[in-house]
Amino acid sequence: VRGFDDDEILHPGGDIDPMKDIAKMEEEVRTVDFLSIEKRLEKLESDMKKVKTKEMQEEHDLFSKLKKWVEEEKPLRDLQLNGKEEVAIRGFKLLSMKPIITIINTDENNYDKYKKLNGTRDGKRLTLVFCGQIESELLELDPEEREIFQGEYGLEDYEYIKSNFIRASYDLMG
């Protein structure tokens, strides 16, 4: 998500607010899941009018539980499911079940503002912060010049997104 100011590049939401953008993305993912869950419930209810089995009732109960969770505006990745429930929904590819890495692309003026979010983890959710423009400039320099440049911009502890992202991905996926 965008965390930098640039008058030449307009933000579709108007103001630059990465947290609002993240919330919007989560909302869109939950909406897709809600529609999938509702569709499955409708199918189960239709099938149960013809023949009702214990397995169908269990699946209906599970999908009702999922629907209620998503209606409360919570991603499914935060819902505790038992092994049997996880297996039952695996084939539905519900998006909010997936671990998520949010990457905030910022600039040197806003880096300190978002730096505290770098590496923060909340369950299956991880946030990374990087300076795209500066990083591309740094990668064009030789190592000595890069170190001097980073010092001038207060980026001594800066982690390059490529290695940081790869490490974070493996960590998040277990």
Side-chain angles (χ1 to χ4, degrees):
V1 295
R2 180 174 168 181
F4 62 89
D5 299 313
D6 188 335
D7 294 336
E8 294 181 24
I9 305 172
L10 298 177
H11 187 279
D15 58 335
I16 308 300
D17 186 350
M19 303 322 282
K20 188 169 88 174
D21 293 344
I22 292 167
K24 177 78 173 150
M25 285 190 305
E26 285 278 5
E27 178 186 347
E28 290 171 3
V29 167
R30 284 192 314 270
T31 299
V32 170
D33 282 355
F34 179 81
L35 295 172
S36 297
I37 292 166
E38 235 183 15
K39 184 177 177 181
R40 183 61 185 161
L41 280 169
E42 288 171 6
K43 173 96 171 90
L44 284 167
E45 289 164 2
S46 172
D47 291 349
M48 288 169 60
K49 288 178 183 173
K50 299 171 194 164
V51 171
K52 187 175 182 177
T53 66
K54 179 184 174 203
E55 290 81 14
M56 291 172 100
Q57 185 60 53
E58 287 174 353
E59 187 175 348
H60 186 275
D61 293 345
L62 172 58
F63 275 81
S64 295
K65 175 180 171 179
L66 299 176
K67 181 180 177 183
K68 183 177 186 289
W69 188 265
V70 172
E71 285 175 331
E72 293 173 2
E73 299 182 359
K74 300 176 191 172
L76 293 171
R77 77 180 69 83
D78 294 341
L79 178 62
Q80 294 296 318
L81 298 173
N82 63 41
K84 185 178 179 182
E85 291 171 327
E86 286 180 8
V87 169
I89 64 170
R90 189 172 293 147
F92 291 93
K93 310 264 189 254
L94 299 167
L95 296 176
S96 71
M97 285 289 299
K98 309 286 185 207
I100 187 167
I101 296 177
T102 304
I103 301 174
I104 300 173
N105 181 9
T106 189
D107 56 17
E108 69 275 8
N109 299 324
N110 292 302
Y111 183 69
D112 286 337
K113 180 177 173 181
Y114 301 117
K115 185 168 86 171
K116 64 184 173 291
L117 298 173
N118 195 40
T120 57
R121 188 170 178 171
D122 179 17
K124 295 179 182 176
R125 218 182 269 106
L126 179 68
T127 303
L128 301 176
V129 179
F130 86 114
C131 299
Q133 181 65 38
I134 289 180
E135 186 163 317
S136 70
E137 292 172 12
L138 286 172
L139 291 171
E140 291 176 8
L141 302 174
D142 65 51
E144 277 183 26
E145 290 175 318
R146 190 179 305 155
E147 195 174 309
I148 293 168
F149 189 88
Q150 283 180 249
E152 288 176 7
Y153 280 95
L155 301 171
E156 296 87 358
D157 60 344
Y158 184 77
E159 291 187 58
Y160 290 86
I161 193 63
K162 182 179 177 182
S163 58
N164 198 10
F165 176 75
I166 292 169
R167 185 176 49 255
S169 298
Y170 277 101
D171 180 50
L172 191 62
M173 298 303 291

